[in-house]
Amino acid sequence: LAQEALAQALHDDAPAPCPGQACVRMAALHYSPQQLLLLCNHVHRAFQNKSPDTLRQLMTPVLTNLHLFRPNELAMVLNHYANTRVVDKQFWQKVSDALPDVFVDADSKGLSIAVNAYARASFRHDGALQAISSWTKYVATREAIPGRSIAMLVNGYSKMRVRDLDLMEALSEQLLVRVPELNGTDIAQVVNGYARLDFCSDALFNALRHQTLQEMSTFTVQNLAMLAHAHARLKRRDEQLLTAVASELRLRCDAGMPIAANHLPSLINAYIERLAFQPADLIRVIEFSLPKVVSQMENFDLVLSVPPLVRIESLCAPPSFRGPIFTHCGATLKHLTCNAVVGILEVASHLRHDCRDFWESSLRHCRRSIAEGTWDAKYMAILSSLLGKLWMDQGSPGSEWPPFSSDVKDDLFQAIVQAVDNSSDKFSLRDCADVALGCLRARASSAAALTLSLERLLHARHGQGTGDADLDDADAHHAERLATLLVDLRGSLDPPAGGERASERVEKK
């Protein structure tokens, strides 16, 4: 009676009269071996009704009858628990310990569903996964595995980073004749799965290309982003396929649909950073989408998306493009690391973003964070060089370039000089030379203080035995740069009447 009442309640999605009564009813449930199908049915109903509490109450009967399940039944149960986010570690551990004994004579469907369940639950049990792998390789020698099952197996093992190369090889051989069965999601899962495991089969990827090009119009943006990201991971620059992906993305943009904030960063990273491939359609996608979605990006995605813009040769960046991007960047700087901040400022300089509010607030943030000791010496040196170039690149009279005041610039250099004085041991000779060059070019008011600090640093290092004979070629070059720059820094308040500075001759050399 209790079983019938529960089945009816689950079927009708009727709420229990009260929590206490429901618990008593579930505790009273007992499934005999002959009622295993009823137990599976109750698990399925609980999954359909999205009832994690009912699934938790059914854990005890599942464990009690574990030895009676057939492989496909147990795979279905695990799949329902995983999809409902019921991942009780003790329950999953007991089921996984018993799985090698239960999964006897399993078929490809049950095997793929089970692996998918473990991946969704993020529960890695090596014994269970090894048993599933062994049975999959056995099945592969006796029958053709459906393309969908292969995609699920590759995706599941790759998500858990189980690099079973023998299994992946067996599945890739099976897939060569199953490619026409795959839809967009299947292809994206296969390509991305093999990329996660760093397994590149040229024969398989070449076979997938034709099917991918045929089915591309049915791919979701997520599928397209997965394809690009997978090829970037494998450093596989398939220009025909990647150009087609960019063209398909542009069609979506031309229809008025910008690429979403959670997909655009991986596309920029794959094409621009990893593959150094810039099809014209991708650049148009970036120009259309980035200003519209940048405000929705998390910090990590922002760092993936903005600094690489400096590498795009034909990027069109009018104020309507730059404004939204750097407005969001300016509001996010305080949450970013020093290398990300420098990367964003380099892009702003490269794209000639002339918003004074952005530059002055950003440089004040840099000054404060440097004074707090949160910056690495390398990035203080890069920032110094950037400011020096900006200050030298004076615009026409009345222009807003460089877009920050002399006071803001001098305050920042003062903080950098103080950092050199306080933590000179963290600055390499190259860092010191870059700071000196930036200070000289920017005509910083703290040039005299910096000169004293760097002269003491250079003298101390030579005194410790790191003379020119002890330096490698690179350090010797930067030591020469630094010594020459110090000469010019000493005379920076009284520049030569004509001719080049000694440091300018060194820089040209």
Side-chain angles (χ1 to χ4, degrees):
L1 289 175
Q3 289 165 350
E4 291 174 2
L6 175 63
Q8 186 63 38
L10 289 170
H11 178 71
D12 297 336
D13 198 20
C18 69
Q21 185 176 346
C23 292
V24 171
R25 179 180 296 172
M26 291 304 303
L29 279 178
H30 172 73
Y31 295 84
S32 68
Q34 292 77 20
Q35 294 174 316
L36 189 64
L37 185 58
L38 180 63
L39 174 57
C40 292
N41 188 38
H42 287 172
V43 171
H44 184 64
R45 294 272 183 84
F47 165 70
Q48 286 183 318
N49 294 332
K50 300 179 181 178
S51 176
D53 290 339
T54 303
L55 286 173
R56 291 188 186 93
Q57 292 166 357
L58 290 170
M59 285 180 188
T60 299
V62 168
L63 293 175
T64 301
N65 294 281
L66 200 53
H67 62 290
L68 300 174
F69 281 92
R70 289 177 294 184
N72 283 16
E73 292 170 341
L74 184 57
M76 181 273 291
V77 168
L78 290 175
N79 186 64
H80 288 347
Y81 275 87
N83 278 283
T84 319
R85 304 294 184 220
V86 180
V87 190
D88 180 273
K89 290 186 177 180
Q90 188 175 10
F91 170 77
W92 278 80
Q93 183 68 39
K94 289 180 178 179
V95 172
S96 301
D97 290 342
L99 186 139
D101 295 326
V102 176
F103 264 54
V104 177
D105 199 22
D107 63 19
S108 57
K109 181 178 179 181
L111 293 165
S112 61
I113 292 174
V115 167
N116 187 61
Y118 277 99
R120 282 183 175 272
S122 300
F123 188 87
R124 176 168 170 165
H125 187 285
D126 291 337
L129 295 172
Q130 182 58 47
I132 295 171
S133 171
S134 298
W135 273 110
T136 302
K137 286 182 277 190
Y138 175 79
V139 170
T141 62
R142 281 162 173 70
E143 62 184 55
I145 301 176
R148 171 60 58 83
S149 295
I150 294 175
M152 291 172 66
L153 286 161
V154 172
N155 184 56
Y157 275 96
S158 69
K159 276 188 172 181
M160 290 178 289
R161 304 302 192 271
V162 178
R163 199 165 183 263
D164 188 334
L165 297 184
D166 290 338
L167 174 63
M168 293 301 118
E169 183 68 39
L171 293 176
S172 68
E173 291 175 2
Q174 284 264 334
L175 198 54
L176 286 173
V177 296
R178 294 292 193 180
V179 168
E181 299 177 7
L182 303 180
N183 61 24
T185 300
D186 296 333
I187 293 172
Q189 286 185 341
V190 167
V191 173
N192 201 47
Y194 277 115
R196 278 198 199 108
L197 299 175
D198 194 24
F199 182 97
C200 184
S201 167
D202 287 334
L204 175 60
F205 276 72
N206 290 336
L208 287 169
R209 183 196 297 119
H210 178 70
Q211 181 72 3
T212 302
L213 294 174
Q214 279 193 325
E215 298 290 328
M216 192 164 290
S217 61
T218 68
F219 280 41
T220 65
V221 172
Q222 180 179 3
N223 295 154
L224 295 169
M226 288 169 68
L227 279 178
H229 185 63
H231 281 75
R233 274 189 164 188
L234 294 171
K235 297 180 175 61
R236 184 180 172 85
R237 185 167 159 160
D238 186 336
E239 295 193 4
Q240 180 187 4
L241 178 64
L242 293 168
T243 300
V245 170
S247 299
E248 183 62 34
L249 290 167
R250 181 173 182 178
L251 288 176
R252 314 289 172 97
C253 291
D254 289 346
M257 297 180 291
I259 305 305
N262 57 331
H263 298 314
L264 187 60
S266 66
L267 288 164
I268 295 174
N269 179 257
Y271 277 91
I272 308 303
E273 283 284 309
R274 297 196 181 194
L275 294 173
F277 183 48
Q278 302 181 14
D281 284 335
L282 180 79
I283 298 174
R284 302 291 87 78
V285 167
I286 295 171
E287 292 170 353
F288 176 75
S289 301
L290 187 56
K292 292 178 172 60
V293 303
V294 68
S295 62
Q296 304 164 28
M297 288 185 178
E298 301 290 339
N299 296 343
F300 179 76
D301 290 334
L302 187 69
V303 174
L304 282 180
S305 302
V306 176
L309 299 180
V310 76
R311 294 180 175 83
I312 301 179
E313 298 168 0
S314 58
L315 183 69
C316 181
S320 59
F321 176 82
R322 302 192 312 264
I325 293 172
F326 292 110
T327 296
H328 185 61
C329 287
T332 312
L333 282 186
K334 60 184 178 182
H335 303 297
L336 302 181
T337 57
C338 57
N339 56 322
V341 171
V342 168
I344 288 170
L345 293 180
E346 285 180 324
V347 175
S349 169
H350 177 73
L351 298 181
R352 304 286 289 189
H353 185 55
D354 55 0
C355 175
R356 196 175 187 88
D357 287 342
F358 166 79
W359 277 102
E360 295 201 340
S361 62
S362 298
L363 296 181
R364 288 191 184 102
H365 163 74
C366 293
R367 175 182 58 78
R368 288 191 299 270
S369 54
I370 288 172
E372 293 167 359
T374 61
W375 276 53
D376 295 336
K378 173 183 176 180
Y379 297 106
M380 283 187 265
I382 295 173
L383 181 60
S384 298
S385 295
L386 176 63
L387 287 180
K389 290 177 183 177
L390 284 168
W391 199 255
M392 284 183 66
D393 186 19
Q394 297 283 344
S396 58
S399 70
E400 284 291 327
W401 200 264
F404 49 84
S405 68
S406 178
D407 289 342
V408 170
K409 175 257 302 180
D410 286 338
D411 287 347
L412 178 54
F413 269 106
Q414 188 172 12
I416 294 173
V417 170
Q418 190 64 48
V420 172
D421 208 31
N422 293 340
S423 308
S424 59
D425 57 315
K426 296 180 181 178
F427 285 76
S428 68
L429 288 171
R430 176 174 182 168
D431 297 335
C432 293
D434 287 345
V435 170
L437 180 62
C439 184
L440 183 64
R441 286 176 168 176
R443 302 183 184 278
S445 61
S446 50
L450 178 64
T451 302
L452 290 174
S453 295
L454 293 180
E455 284 178 337
R456 285 196 298 267
L457 182 150
L458 199 58
H459 177 73
R461 294 194 182 178
H462 276 266
Q464 293 169 359
T466 53
D468 293 340
D470 301 311
L471 301 176
D472 59 26
D473 290 343
D475 279 345
H477 165 68
H478 293 303
E480 180 187 0
R481 285 180 64 216
L482 179 56
T484 307
L485 286 162
L486 287 173
V487 172
D488 282 345
L489 276 171
R490 289 190 206 101
S492 60
L493 298 178
D494 184 20
E500 293 182 316
R501 295 181 185 275
S503 60
E504 291 170 345
R505 291 194 296 275
V506 172
E507 290 302 313
K508 287 181 179 180
K509 179 181 175 182

